[in-house]
Every structure is written in structure tokens, then in C-alpha cells.
Amino acid sequence: MLYDANNTFAKILRGDIPSNTIYEDDYTLAFKDINPCTPFHVLIIPKGDYVSLSDFSQKASNSEIIGFIRAVGNIIYKFNLAEKGYRIVANSGSDANQEVFHFHLHMLAGKNLGSIIKPI
Ligand code: AMP
């Protein structure tokens, strides 16, 4: 899939629409999900144009990948999430019901999250 520069998160990165930003560095932006599922629900995105985790893993530079993962860790420690725990989700493609086609991680925390998936 080609990257569509009109997706919502591209607009946030350009400053065309607002976001509730909680973290930013050279490679990464993180902001509160507009429709939170948990008390702490933040979306973490690379600043580069990548559709999904698979796209990011193949096309991003080593610096971008390292910077992004460091940023995830920075957010974990900035918001003291390591002790009680958190869950990271990356929806990709139709089976995962991805809605916004700019790679993002959902960082979910702030309560017991239960099982991630149910047995079939
Ligand atoms: P998904 O692509 O399914 O992994 O999820 C996209 C997420 O983006 C959803 O949880 C939405 O609530 C969230 N979202 C959509 N638009 C915005 C926005 N303008 N600001 C913050 N979060 C948003």
C-alpha cells in the first residue's frame, strides 16, 4: 500500500489538525488517543511516512528505528508505566481493522487489561 499524505496522523505531524501531545523528539511524536480505551491510551508514531510496522521495518533507516524504540522506552519511563505494566498494540491491515494508515503503536495502561485475545 502506498502512503497517503492526507491521513489523519500526517495532518497532525504537519500541524494541520491539533493533537494532545505528550512526547516529541527528532523521530517520534506521541499524543493521546481521541477515543481512549484505557485510562492511559497514547498513540506513538514515527515522523517518517510509513503505513505500518512492516513498512517501517523494511524502509526506515537504522537511526529512525533505534530512535523510535528509544522513544517508546522514554515514554514508558516518563509516565512511570514499567512498574504496573502496559500493553502495546500495532494494528496492520484489514484483519486488524487498521483505521489510520500511518504506522502507530497504541500504548495502553492504567488498569488491568485482561487477556489480549480470546481462544477460538
Ligand atoms: P487503528 O488505526 O485502528 O490502530 O486506530 C486508530 C486510532 O486513532 C483510533 O484509536 C482512534 O481513536 C485514533 N484517532 C483517530 N483520529 C485521531 C485524532 N485526530 N487524534 C487522536 N487519535 C485519533
Side-chain angles (χ1 to χ4, degrees), residues 27-101:
Y27 297 108
T28 307
L29 184 72
F31 49 90
K32 291 186 179 179
D33 195 293
I34 204 167
N35 189 20
C37 298
T38 51
F40 185 97
H41 186 172
V42 159
L43 301 170
I44 310 173
I45 68 172
K47 289 188 172 178
D49 295 350
Y50 305 104
V51 172
S52 62
L53 174 58
S54 30
D55 192 35
F56 182 68
S57 75
Q58 296 299 290
K59 296 179 185 163
S61 67
N62 288 353
S63 297
E64 287 176 289
I65 292 170
I66 292 167
F68 185 73
I69 295 298
R70 288 263 187 243
V72 173
N74 291 342
I75 292 163
I76 289 167
Y77 288 105
K78 179 176 180 180
F79 293 95
N80 201 25
L81 303 178
E83 188 181 338
K84 294 210 75 177
Y86 53 87
R87 178 172 293 153
I88 292 173
V89 172
N91 293 319
S92 180
S94 56
D95 274 0
N97 297 308
Q98 183 177 3
E99 293 173 4
V100 180
F101 290 90

